[in-house]
Each structure stands twice: as structure tokens, then as C-alpha cells.
Amino acid sequence: MRHTTHKLTPEQKESLFIKYKDLIYMIFCCNGYMLRKQIRKLFHILSDRSEKDIEFDIAELILTGFLLQKTINKDTRTQMLYLSKYPKSQFLNVTSRDVPAINWSEQKIFEQIFRVDYLIEKVIPDMRKQDFDISMDNIITYLNWSGSNLLLSNNQVDMVDFYNNLWNVLAENDHNLTDDFFRDLTIATEEKQAFESKQLRKDIEPVPCITKNRRDKEMDSYNSDIDKCKLFYSLKNLASHGFYIEHVKHNLINVCFFDSNDSIYIKKLYQQASYILLMFQRYLNNYNLHLFVTVYTWDNERATELRDFENTTAYDFYRQEWVEENRKQKIMKDIGILPSNWNSITVNYIGEEIYSKYNVHL
């Protein structure tokens, strides 16, 4: 039976919202949906309450229709819990009917599982090492301070925040940003304004995205997709391909990727990593950067498989022979990365053992 808030009076809804506001706020900040076990674990860290007591809170939120359930794996019956429209409306300052519905996909669900696990296993321990107080607001501040897009969507509004947060981080690390960065920030801002104008249904037509149109014309003058990526790859591309900024420290840039669909392969990984490195070189006019990429996989077996494949000898299909480079070097060479930059990218693979933690699998 699907529980609903429709049977509650406005007073009952408001009372429940106030009673569980902190728990609801945590879920809302994490994109509005999480595994049941992740809700217990994360809120235990934030509130210091026992997971048993938190489970009772979750049960009441389900029974009152504040939390809805979606089964991920039928054989394990693992549930993704997500906020219904009323509690979300209280933070969005809109009516319940104006709250957009979640567009579910398997990739979206698994990516979210990895992101919340990353918060629990990586972000919070890093904050504790630096003696930061652990609260949901402080987690968001810490991510912004790191330039991270972990909890940001790829929509037009969040993309501007991503650029601005990273701008602050890069400036604090004594980097001077180039016109390429500010061009892409301008494009993101224009797209945000056009989106908001459309959403608000203003009578005035939105201003055309002049900077984007000019950039697109220049990009279209190149026939090669590789050349386009080398010259015009942006933070929007980084985010849309599933990469997240971890932090920037001087000339070291850390990003991560969640292999949530068990679908990454070495060629695609190093192509994207190469484009990210070239993007930052353009953005900062700095060719002494080192990009460190951490790939989080479902388990250690998958991490080992990727690590071993990266280091095997490459085969040149055009010359029909084995070559001296390993697969990593061959991919970078084919893109046009100079050998002097081959060591500027380091990839590490970490198995997260998601199934044993959360009883969920592909």
C-alpha cells in the first residue's frame, strides 16, 4: 500500500515537518533520495542518535507519506527512499504541485548510492581530520570550499554555482584564470538566465546566448571530435561525463569518478582525463599541473581488473603490431598528448564493496 500525505490536515503536516525537519533536510540536501541504510548511517553521524531510534523516525515518515519507497533489486528488496512533494516544497518555497517529479533511471539510482557512500566514507572523515564540526550545512560549505560538484546537478542553475565555487578555490591557490574560463562561465550564466526566464514564463524573450553561439561556431569549424574536446572541453562536460572535483591544492587537481554502472573502460577514462587536464591547462595557462583521478568501483575485483588492463601492452591496429607503450600511454598519444605530459595523469582504483555494505547490486 502506498502511503500519502493527503489524509493529513495542514496542521498535521506542519507538525510532522517541524518534528523531523533535520532528518528531512539531510535527505533534501542529498538530492531528495537515499538508501534506507544510508539515511540511518548518515543521520547517526550528524545527530549522534542511535540508528535504532532513527529507524523509528524513518518508519513514521513512511507511514505519513513524507517518505516514499522504491524497490531497487527485487531479489534483495533493498529500498530507495525519497521525499514526497510536501516536505520538499517547504524548502523550495513553492506549492506541492509545483515540485518537479523525480525522473528515475538505473544509472541515476546507482550514482546516488555511490555519492552518499562517498560522503560517509570520504568527505566526513576528511572534515574530521581538519577538526570541522559535522553538520549538513557544514558538509555543503566544505564541498563548496573544495570546489566540489558532488551534490550539484548538471542543470543550468547549479552549473553557475560550480563555476563560481571553483573560481574561488583556484584563486585561493594562486592561479590566474584565463579568458577561456570566463568565457565558459559567461556561457553558463547566459544559459541559467535563459532557463530561469523560461521557467518563470516571463513575457520578455530571454536574451540569446551570444557567447555560446560564438563559441559553437568556432567549435564547428573543427572537423575532429578530438580537436573539439581538446580545445573546448568545459566544466559542464566534466560534470556530464560523471566526474567530480575533489579538491585543488596548488598544482595538484583531484577528481573522482564513480563506476556506478560497471561500464567505464580504460580508453574512455583516459580520454576524459586527458581532456580534463587540457581544460585546466587552458583555464589556468599552467602546464605544470598534475591530475589525480580516483575511480570508485563496486568491488575490489572490478578495481583490480581495471588496474591490470591499464598496464598491459597496447596494440596498434593501424600498424598491426604491439607497441612499446602501455594502454594508458597509447590512448594519450592518440589524442595528441605529448610524452612529457604522460605522467601528468595518475589514476587510482578503489573498490567500495557496495553490495556488502548496502545489499544492492547491478
Side-chain angles (χ1 to χ4, degrees), residues 161-174:
D161 291 338
F162 184 19
Y163 270 98
N164 284 323
N165 291 339
L166 192 58
W167 179 4
N168 291 331
V169 173
L170 293 169
E172 287 173 3
N173 280 272
D174 298 322

Side-chain angles (χ1 to χ4, degrees), residues 75-91:
D75 50 347
T76 63
R77 296 189 178 182
T78 303
Q79 291 178 336
M80 179 69 76
L81 301 183
Y82 61 102
L83 292 173
S84 60
K85 291 192 172 186
Y86 172 77
K88 289 174 73 173
S89 71
Q90 301 306 294
F91 294 114

Side-chain angles (χ1 to χ4, degrees), residues 200-245:
L200 295 172
R201 298 182 179 88
K202 292 180 179 177
D203 295 331
I204 303 173
E205 283 292 319
V207 177
C209 298
I210 298 172
T211 310
K212 181 180 184 298
N213 293 339
R214 187 179 298 134
R215 192 271 321 264
D216 289 349
K217 284 182 181 179
E218 186 181 349
M219 188 164 58
D220 289 342
S221 68
Y222 291 86
N223 293 324
S224 166
D225 288 337
I226 289 178
D227 286 341
K228 290 178 183 180
C229 289
K230 287 168 66 176
L231 295 170
F232 299 100
Y233 197 94
S234 66
L235 289 183
K236 185 174 182 178
N237 298 126
L238 177 149
S240 64
H241 281 96
F243 286 85
Y244 301 92
I245 300 290

Side-chain angles (χ1 to χ4, degrees), residues 7-8 15 22 61 63 79 92 114 123 146 150 152 154 164 170 200 206 253-254 265 283 301 309 323:
K7 296 179 181 179
L8 302 176
S15 177
D22 290 342
L61 288 172
L63 291 173
Q79 291 178 336
L92 295 172
F114 271 81
V123 173
S146 303
L150 184 73
L152 297 178
N154 296 337
N164 284 323
L170 293 169
L200 295 172
I253 297 169
N254 284 60
Y265 50 94
Y283 278 174
E301 183 179 354
F309 190 79
V323 294

Side-chain angles (χ1 to χ4, degrees), residues 33-48:
Y33 57 102
M34 300 168 64
L35 289 178
R36 191 169 188 147
K37 187 172 183 179
Q38 288 181 328
I39 293 175
R40 292 199 307 268
K41 288 181 70 173
L42 185 54
F43 198 63
H44 165 69
I45 294 170
L46 298 181
S47 66
D48 208 28

